[in-house]
Amino acid sequence: EGGRRMREKLRQLRAQKPRLFQMALYLLYGVLTTLVNWVCYLVLTRLLGLSAHGRDSAAYRLIANFSQAVSWLVSVLFAYFTNRRYVFQSNTRKRAFLREIWQFVSTRALGYVLFDLLLFNIFLLFMSDRWSKLVMNALVIIYNYLASRFVIFKKPKPKPGSPKEDTAPGSF
C-alpha cells in the first residue's frame, strides 16, 4: 500500500515537474556513484596500507592517488550506465553511442584532472585524505550534472512538424 502510494507520487512529480524529477534521480544516482567511489577507495587504501605511511611521505601520496584513480574509473563506469539508462534515458545506438560515451568519459577525465588531481593534492597539504575527498565529491557532483545535462545527454531539438517525444526522465 505505502509503496504504491510512493510510486504514484513519483509518477505525478515526473509528469508535473520533469526537470526536478531528473535532478532528484541524478542526485540519487550521484549518491550511489559516490558510495561506489568511496567503498572502492577505502578498500584500496586499506589493502595497500595507506595508514602505515606518514602524510608527508611519497608512499602516502602514491597510494592515495592510485586508490583515487582506480575508484574514479570504477565510479565513472557505474555513473555512465546509470545516468544513460535511468536519469537521462538515452537510447543512442552505434555512432551516437560512441560519441556519447566519448563525451562522458572525456568530461569526467577533465573533471578528474581539475578536481581529483589538482585540487585533491592541494587539499592534501592541509586536510586529511578523507576530508579532501569529501570536498572533491561535492564539487564533482555539481560539475558532472552540468556536463551531463547540457553537453552529453542533451536532447536534440525536435524538427519542425515532428511529434514531440516524451522527454521526462525515469520510468515506473
Side-chain angles (χ1 to χ4, degrees), residues 84-136:
R84 174 181 164 75
R85 172 156 180 142
Y86 301 110
V87 179
F88 298 103
Q89 295 187 324
S90 173
N91 56 9
T92 57
R93 302 256 187 256
K94 296 184 183 182
R95 194 173 188 167
F97 169 77
L98 293 175
R99 180 186 55 77
E100 182 181 271
I101 199 164
W102 168 252
Q103 286 180 330
F104 192 88
V105 170
S106 17
T107 58
R108 293 313 194 266
L110 176 62
Y112 180 79
V113 169
L114 294 174
F115 298 108
D116 294 84
L117 286 180
L118 296 175
L119 287 177
F120 180 71
N121 280 290
I122 290 169
F123 288 168
L124 280 178
L125 296 173
F126 57 90
M127 287 183 201
S128 73
D129 67 304
R130 292 181 183 180
W131 279 109
S132 298
K133 189 161 180 54
L134 185 63
V135 171
M136 299 310 0

Side-chain angles (χ1 to χ4, degrees), residues 67-96:
S67 300
Q68 183 78 336
V70 172
S71 62
W72 175 84
L73 181 63
V74 170
S75 62
V76 164
L77 292 173
F78 177 83
Y80 174 72
F81 289 105
T82 56
N83 282 322
R84 174 181 164 75
R85 172 156 180 142
Y86 301 110
V87 179
F88 298 103
Q89 295 187 324
S90 173
N91 56 9
T92 57
R93 302 256 187 256
K94 296 184 183 182
R95 194 173 188 167

